[in-house]
Amino acid sequence: MPIPEDVTGEEIDKDVRQELQSLPKTLADDVARNLVMVARLIDEDPEGAYGYSRVALRLASRVAAVREAGGFAAYANQKYGEALAEFRAARRMTGSVELWPVMADCERGLGRPEKALDMAGAPEVHKLDKAGQVEMRLVAAGARRDMGQLDAAIVTLQSPELASNSVQPWTARLRYAYADALLAAGREREAREWFAKAVEADRDGSTDASDRLAELDGVEFTDALDEHGGDDTATAGTETEAETEVKAEVKAEVKAEVKADDGAGEAREADHVDESGETGKG
């Protein structure tokens, strides 16, 4: 597959580069360049990333980093069986438990939430770092929801990490998942509170918490073009831009509101967040 000339292969992580040193230099460079393309495309063009991952796998299937990249590319394309096989291979090569949560999520994708829950209770979870343990909790809660166990999903997400005021890389996603589970269970007031907390923690826009919060508050975004019934392409771009500006203003107002209310809901929060850290698997 074509690779831009500006991609040298040097862009990859140094640990991956070190893994590739077991290969002849020319081959290592080719594999590295394909891995760079996987990383570049996996979010915006998962099919393209998958294609490059298959090239890398053909060239160096005995390199753990290549198997891992192939797994994530397959996962991004919802090829869960293939992703699981690649993750298992990478784990066998490295002995690391780092991929345990995403392997469990593959089980969910294959329609086996019970297996995902079994993995959530396995000894490997205790070997994960804090980020991995939070990720495992998210997967376990998702498995509970897959099985229609909404209350159990809510309890699974209740933890010291959820109750903490400290903002970590996983905080926004954890609060968002909790809010979404509350909303699914019909607990709209609490869901709104936790979507607001997710907005507060979501500094890089990794979730659509602000949109969900605006929706709960009754804010609706309409297409100005449809509203006026026109089809003038000269004005369509302007109105889309205006709509974007309105959304940005609303999101800014939401975040300002959240900051103004910061800490006001701590007493209410204690009523429904168990700080004991139990996962509620029972």
Side-chain angles (χ1 to χ4, degrees), residues 113-137:
E114 298 89 350
K115 177 62 176 175
L117 286 176
D118 287 344
M119 294 179 69
E124 285 82 355
V125 175
H126 300 295
K127 301 176 184 178
L128 294 168
D129 61 13
K130 181 61 69 177
Q133 290 178 3
V134 171
E135 194 66 33
M136 192 72 249
R137 191 179 291 275

Side-chain angles (χ1 to χ4, degrees), residues 3-265:
I3 297 178
E5 291 184 3
D6 66 318
V7 175
T8 66
E10 295 294 333
E11 301 90 340
I12 63 174
D13 184 85
K14 64 179 182 179
D15 291 334
V16 176
R17 191 75 190 178
Q18 187 172 359
E19 277 193 65
L20 296 178
Q21 287 181 357
S22 62
L23 304 173
K25 186 179 187 312
T26 301
L27 179 58
D29 289 342
D30 287 343
V31 174
R33 296 179 72 210
N34 277 281
L35 292 181
V36 171
M37 294 305 297
V38 173
R40 279 192 178 186
L41 298 175
I42 197 163
D43 291 328
E44 302 298 328
D45 180 12
E47 288 187 9
Y50 179 75
Y52 285 103
S53 75
R54 299 309 298 174
V55 174
L57 282 166
R58 286 198 297 271
L59 295 173
S61 63
R62 295 184 180 181
V63 177
V66 174
R67 302 302 290 266
E68 183 175 328
F72 278 110
Y75 180 83
N77 284 276
Q78 300 182 5
K79 299 177 183 289
Y80 298 115
E82 184 177 329
L84 185 57
E86 297 298 345
F87 290 142
R88 284 173 173 167
R91 183 168 180 267
R92 284 195 301 270
M93 293 174 179
T94 64
S96 172
V97 298
E98 183 178 332
L99 295 171
W100 197 253
V102 71
M103 289 168 63
D105 206 39
C106 286
E107 296 287 0
R108 285 186 60 212
L110 292 169
R112 301 193 293 248
E114 298 89 350
K115 177 62 176 175
L117 286 176
D118 287 344
M119 294 179 69
E124 285 82 355
V125 175
H126 300 295
K127 301 176 184 178
L128 294 168
D129 61 13
K130 181 61 69 177
Q133 290 178 3
V134 171
E135 194 66 33
M136 192 72 249
R137 191 179 291 275
L138 289 168
V139 173
R144 290 291 186 188
R145 291 188 64 172
D146 293 343
M147 299 166 68
Q149 300 173 3
L150 293 179
D151 290 340
I154 291 170
V155 174
T156 298
L157 292 168
Q158 292 172 350
S159 63
E161 293 80 21
L162 180 67
S164 174
N165 289 324
S166 174
V167 175
Q168 302 295 335
W170 61 78
T171 302
R173 291 179 58 236
L174 183 59
R175 292 177 179 180
Y176 183 96
Y178 189 61
D180 195 44
L182 288 168
L183 189 60
R187 295 161 61 174
E188 186 172 315
R189 182 186 64 81
E190 294 168 272
R192 189 209 175 279
E193 182 178 335
W194 281 95
F195 275 126
K197 290 179 180 293
V199 171
E200 181 184 353
D202 194 2
R203 295 167 180 171
D204 59 358
S206 62
T207 74
D208 65 346
S210 58
D211 291 339
R212 300 290 298 277
L213 185 58
E215 182 181 341
L216 284 173
D217 287 344
V219 177
E220 295 184 5
F221 299 112
T222 59
D223 190 328
L225 182 62
D226 290 343
E227 187 175 297
H228 291 86
D231 60 357
D232 188 339
T233 56
T235 62
T238 302
E239 295 192 352
T240 299
E241 182 178 334
E243 181 183 351
T244 301
E245 291 177 359
V246 170
K247 287 185 178 181
E249 289 175 4
V250 171
K251 289 181 180 181
E253 290 173 3
V254 168
K255 290 191 175 184
E257 175 188 344
V258 169
K259 288 182 179 179
D261 292 341
D262 185 22

